[in-house]
Amino acid sequence: MMKGVPRYLVTLLVLALACSLASAYDPSPLQDFCVSTNDSASGVFVNGKFCKDPKLMLVSANDFFFSGLNIPRDTSNPLGSTVTLLNVDKILGLNTLGISLARIDFAPYGLNPPHIHPRGTEILVGVGVITLVVLEGTLLVGFVTSNTDNSLFTKVLNAGDVFVFPIGLIHFQFNSGHTNAVAFAGLSSQNPGVITIANAVFGSNPPINPDVLAKAFQLDRNVINDLQKKF
């Protein structure tokens, strides 16, 4: 007990902290479903979305359905990777359910660069390569803890392996093999968001003052200018 503080105030403080922590995540649903809609006249506003009224027969099976996640994506970009995210904007029935899904395609030596999901923990399943013959693949993955120690946790994943990236921590996936690879990820939010570190720091609009970045990264200002031009 803190000296001079009544017991009931301590109890209220603990309860307030517990409630504030709980509200940091997607709220638990209080009904079977709350299918998202852009029509504000058809329902109530829940968790950032208006919901269809199921009593008016506005909800259908298609609100919980997506087709085509088996199709390989184009990875002919500078990073050699493509993320296909199925969040509440793609599957309207995910609203209030607190989950989403992503397919990640990798070209040989493709990279899903260091990034964070501010609203979701991620669990990644390595499912092998997409080729006509070989059915194996290798992903180098990892995450870094917060600034208390900046520890790196890294692992090489093969087909069928699973890895968890805790919420809000910087993480990455790299195809260290010479064949195409694909992985699926589940996220603990209907709209987990993504912040790609390099894009946010060097590609902000308007740009961050180069002097700030030069001091932060301990680099020459000309190097910062060059990096900002790339993003």
Side-chain angles (χ1 to χ4, degrees):
M1 177 65 63
M2 292 180 288
K3 185 176 180 180
V5 179
R7 183 182 299 274
Y8 76 90
L9 286 181
V10 175
T11 303
L12 288 175
L13 177 61
V14 172
L15 288 173
L17 287 173
C19 291
S20 65
L21 290 173
S23 65
Y25 302 92
D26 291 3
S28 298
L30 299 177
Q31 56 200 48
D32 288 347
F33 48 77
C34 189
V35 175
S36 172
T37 178
N38 291 324
D39 183 6
S40 60
S42 68
V44 295
F45 193 70
V46 179
N47 197 22
K49 300 285 184 179
F50 285 99
C51 301
K52 295 181 180 180
D53 188 344
K55 296 180 181 179
L56 298 179
M57 301 299 292
L58 300 177
V59 176
S60 72
N62 284 332
D63 291 321
F64 305 91
F65 175 77
F66 180 90
S67 180
L69 205 59
N70 61 311
I71 301 172
R73 267 52 180 181
D74 182 12
T75 57
S76 58
N77 55 64
L79 292 173
S81 72
T82 296
V83 178
T84 304
L85 176 63
L86 300 185
N87 60 6
V88 67
D89 295 323
K90 297 291 182 63
I91 303 178
L92 302 180
L94 286 179
N95 192 43
T96 74
L97 299 186
I99 57 171
S100 55
L101 176 71
R103 173 187 171 123
I104 313 168
D105 288 86
F106 299 88
Y109 309 107
L111 171 70
N112 189 13
H115 62 281
I116 65 171
H117 301 292
R119 295 179 295 278
T121 294
E122 177 179 349
I123 184 167
L124 182 123
V125 184
V127 297
V129 299
I130 300 300
T131 65
L132 295 177
V133 181
V134 183
L135 295 176
E136 59 183 8
T138 303
L139 289 178
L140 172 66
V141 306
F143 67 84
V144 180
T145 62
S146 53
N147 282 1
T148 51
D149 50 15
N150 292 322
S151 296
L152 172 64
F153 290 79
T154 186
K155 190 77 174 175
V156 175
L157 303 185
N158 297 301
D161 290 342
V162 175
F163 197 79
V164 175
F165 303 98
I167 186 172
L169 297 186
I170 295 174
H171 59 283
F172 62 88
Q173 299 105 27
F174 174 65
N175 180 9
S176 55
H178 58 274
T179 55
N180 294 334
V182 62
F184 284 88
L187 299 108
S188 62
S189 171
Q190 67 180 41
N191 190 18
V194 61
I195 300 173
T196 304
I197 306 305
N199 295 50
V201 172
F202 298 110
S204 66
N205 185 21
I208 298 174
N209 187 307
D211 292 328
V212 173
L213 298 181
K215 193 172 186 68
F217 287 93
Q218 298 295 290
L219 293 172
D220 185 86
R221 194 178 191 277
N222 292 328
V223 175
I224 298 297
N225 288 332
D226 185 56
L227 287 170
Q228 289 183 317
K229 290 176 183 178
K230 293 181 183 300
F231 289 91

